[in-house]
Amino acid sequence: IRIAAHIFGIESQRSQLVQSAIDRITTFVDLTIEAVNSGEVRDQSRVLAHVETLAKFLTLIDATEPARTVRRRAAAAGSLARTA
């Protein structure tokens, strides 16, 4: 999409859309990780699998650093859940 956005002159719109998607996904991940850490979820492995899917979405839109952060936070939340 990046090449097509450049050709059609809509790179700034694409960039805004990507940033908006990153913001929404990371906000949802934050809420999800908080729920896991507080013990509010019943099936933590399933919830953390959904978080991994969100990290894959971030990777698909070339947001590799936020995807790494999401994966690190999910791993930490998973390890906290196992020790609790």
Side-chain angles (χ1 to χ4, degrees), residues 12-82:
S12 66
Q13 291 173 336
R14 186 203 67 81
S15 181
Q16 289 173 353
L17 178 63
V18 167
Q19 189 56 50
S20 176
I22 291 168
D23 292 344
R24 288 177 184 236
I25 290 171
T26 55
T27 299
F28 183 72
V29 167
D30 289 342
L31 295 172
T32 304
I33 296 295
E34 286 176 19
V36 169
N37 288 339
S38 67
E40 295 176 22
V41 296
R42 290 184 182 173
D43 189 357
Q44 293 173 347
S45 61
R46 183 175 178 198
V47 170
L48 293 174
H50 286 285
V51 170
E52 174 59 28
T53 301
L54 293 171
K56 288 178 185 178
F57 290 157
L58 289 168
T59 302
L60 289 173
I61 60 173
D62 293 328
T64 54
E65 192 56 39
R68 275 191 217 124
T69 302
V70 164
R71 286 187 176 103
R72 273 194 304 268
R73 293 191 63 214
S79 67
L80 286 176
R82 286 189 291 272

